Amino acid sequence: MADDRERTYNGSYVQSIGKEEPERAFMEETAAEVAEPIRRRDERDEERADGAGLGWLALALSIIALFIWPILLGAAGIIVGFIARRRGAETLGAWAIGIGVIAILVRLFIMPFYT
């Protein structure tokens, strides 16, 4: 290294501090992140686990509402079904809502003719 003016990287001049130093493969400064990145997938998995349990509970309430206490259990199945859908169990929540509505409609409009 006879002359520092001949040391270039991508056509730009690289200044030396007077010591012999190996040429670096790249001349840019980078920094590592301090915090671990947030993983949204992990949070969604926890929500889906909660939603699945609520979905099964809502479905059970709605099915039981077909046989006993249709207004009370059907309404409970509908409400818990909406909560389950918000937490990620969309199919179970939709089925619970549908069966709960059917249980209430059967009790209000069809059962009075058979009692």
Side-chain angles (χ1 to χ4, degrees):
M1 255 194 241
D3 193 6
D4 281 342
R5 286 175 282 169
E6 294 176 10
R7 295 185 64 205
T8 60
Y9 176 74
N10 288 343
S12 63
Y13 176 69
V14 179
Q15 189 175 16
S16 175
I17 57 174
K19 290 195 259 180
E20 292 283 331
E21 59 182 284
E23 186 72 32
R24 296 194 175 142
F26 57 91
M27 297 296 291
E28 53 186 57
E29 184 177 339
T30 59
E33 295 294 326
V34 177
E36 182 178 346
I38 298 172
R39 294 187 178 119
R40 296 288 179 192
R41 183 181 58 199
D42 295 339
E43 293 174 5
R44 280 189 231 127
D45 290 341
E46 291 172 5
E47 288 177 3
R48 289 186 185 204
D50 293 340
L54 284 174
W56 285 110
L57 175 66
L59 189 61
L61 286 171
S62 295
I63 290 173
I64 294 170
L66 291 170
F67 303 106
I68 57 171
W69 300 332
I71 304 295
L72 182 67
L73 292 179
I78 291 169
I79 292 169
V80 176
F82 275 112
I83 294 170
R85 281 186 57 122
R86 271 190 88 134
R87 295 213 179 161
E90 296 166 2
T91 306
L92 286 171
W95 274 99
I97 293 167
I99 294 172
V101 167
I102 289 171
I104 292 173
L105 290 177
V106 165
R107 174 65 181 120
L108 291 177
F109 296 112
I110 295 175
M111 289 303 289
F113 295 115
Y114 292 102
T115 57

